[in-house]
């Protein structure tokens, strides 16, 4: 109760993140609660800085006039999760420029998106566009050793898996057409990648720094592989 007004809060499980608590009425605030800490951030941020603070991290953002949206592009500090608000200064947050984002913030194992954000969503802590067509960011400290990209994904975003040290096996689902720049770079323990013949383009340095890679399986013919647009630093398939 504040100033005579009582607001009730309930646990929201719809995001797949059981620690999100939201107000039923009368509040614009999301609380995330752990066993030892409580952090608070508004779903609609207003700031005169080029960053917002989340736990012990600074999350930098930039405005894109091209699609009238805010994008996260850099971060520094420490946080065990990453919260993405609905709007910043009244402008919807639409994504992350992923290839460099985790360089300064590599401590989080899940992404949480404001329930009001209509451009983004998460599945098991992984960030996607709202329609599921673009896989944007796989958290650098997510500890699963194997991951199958969900159906309906068409594009693996720039730096999507970058610097995750736990992942060993990735299966790109049938329907993935593009693996963007730096998508898998510095996944130091990645040994196996499976691609379907729906893949048409692999971006520059998508496989950079994969010294542990043992098997790249392309589920198409050799002739189909030759038609794939491939930039530098891409591992040739061991199976095709």
């Amino acid at each position: 109760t504040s100033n005579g007004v009582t607001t009730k809060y309930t646990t929201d499980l719809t995001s797949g993140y059981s620690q999100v608590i939201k107000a039923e009425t009368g509040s614009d605030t999301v609380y995330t609660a752990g066993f030892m800490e409580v952090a608070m951030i508004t779903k609609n941020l207003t700031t005169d800085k080029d960053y917002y603070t989340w736990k012990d991290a600074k999350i930098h953002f930039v405005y894109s006039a091209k699609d009238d949206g805010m994008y996260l592009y850099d971060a520094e500090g420490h946080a065990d999760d990453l919260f993405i608000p609905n709007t910043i200064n009244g402008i919807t947050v639409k994504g992350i420029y992923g290839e460099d984002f985790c360089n300064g913030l590599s401590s989080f194992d899940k992404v949480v998106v404001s329930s009001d954000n209509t451009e983004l969503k998460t599945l098991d802590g992984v960030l996607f566009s709202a329609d599921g067509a673009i896989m944007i960011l796989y958290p650098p400290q997510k500890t699963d050793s194997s991951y199958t990209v969900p159906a309906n994904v068409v594009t693996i975003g720039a730096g999507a898996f970058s610097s995750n040290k736990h992942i060993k096996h990735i299966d790109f689902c049938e329907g993935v057409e593009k693996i963007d720049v730096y998508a898998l770079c510095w996944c130091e323990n990645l040994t196996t990648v499976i691609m379907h013949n729906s893949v048409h383009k692999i971006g520059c340095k998508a496989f950079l720094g994969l010294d542990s890679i043992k098997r790249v399986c392309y589920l198409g013919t050799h002739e189909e592989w030759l038609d794939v647009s491939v930039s530098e630093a891409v591992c040739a398939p061991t199976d095709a």
Side-chain angles (χ1 to χ4, degrees):
T1 301
S2 177
N3 297 326
V5 177
T6 299
T7 303
K8 296 181 179 180
Y9 293 89
T10 57
T11 301
D12 178 13
L13 302 178
T14 60
S15 68
Y17 180 56
S18 62
Q19 292 181 336
V20 173
I21 302 175
K22 69 176 183 179
E24 292 180 351
T25 59
S27 177
D28 185 29
T29 303
V30 168
Y31 292 81
T32 67
F35 290 109
M36 301 298 294
E37 65 178 335
V38 175
M40 181 179 73
I41 189 169
T42 59
K43 294 190 290 185
N44 299 290
L45 294 177
T46 301
T47 178
D48 59 358
K49 299 179 174 63
D50 66 350
Y51 65 87
Y52 64 89
T53 300
W54 172 245
K55 298 186 176 178
D56 292 323
K58 289 182 178 179
I59 315 299
H60 295 266
F61 58 86
V62 64
Y63 173 69
S64 171
K66 181 179 179 180
D67 59 0
D68 189 29
M70 290 293 193
Y71 285 82
L72 312 185
Y73 74 91
D74 194 13
E76 58 192 270
H78 180 89
D80 57 2
D81 57 11
L82 172 65
F83 179 79
I84 300 178
N86 176 30
T87 64
I88 301 175
N89 296 335
I91 301 171
T92 300
V93 180
K94 293 189 174 183
I96 292 178
Y97 295 145
E99 57 264 40
D100 296 319
F101 184 80
C102 294
N103 287 350
L105 181 65
S106 59
S107 55
F108 63 96
D109 62 5
K110 65 179 73 68
V111 180
V112 182
V113 176
S114 168
S115 59
D116 291 347
N117 191 302
T118 60
E119 299 288 335
L120 303 169
K121 70 176 182 179
T122 60
L123 295 172
D124 193 27
V126 180
L127 183 65
F128 297 85
S129 59
D131 61 4
I134 304 173
M135 179 180 167
I136 299 171
L137 187 64
Y138 186 93
Q141 291 301 325
K142 189 172 175 61
T143 58
D144 296 350
S145 62
S146 180
Y147 187 74
T148 299
V149 174
N152 302 322
V153 172
V154 176
T155 298
I156 306 300
F161 288 90
S162 177
S163 299
N164 183 287
K165 304 298 192 293
H166 305 279
I167 195 77
K168 296 180 179 180
H169 177 106
I170 298 174
D171 186 347
F172 294 112
C173 64
E174 176 68 37
V176 170
E177 298 178 3
K178 179 181 179 181
I179 300 173
D180 213 338
V181 298
Y182 299 99
L184 305 175
C185 72
W186 306 117
C187 290
E188 295 178 356
N189 292 305
L190 183 63
T191 61
T192 304
V193 173
I194 298 176
M195 297 180 286
H196 293 257
N197 62 355
S198 55
V199 173
H200 299 310
K201 184 174 182 179
I202 302 177
C204 177
K205 299 182 179 179
F207 287 36
L208 180 67
L210 302 188
D211 296 335
S212 61
I213 199 76
K214 295 179 180 178
R215 184 179 182 219
V216 179
C217 182
Y218 176 72
L219 302 180
T221 66
H222 179 69
E223 290 73 21
E224 287 173 323
W225 173 254
L226 294 177
D227 287 335
V228 176
S229 175
V230 178
S231 299
E232 61 179 307
V234 172
C235 300
T238 56
D239 305 295

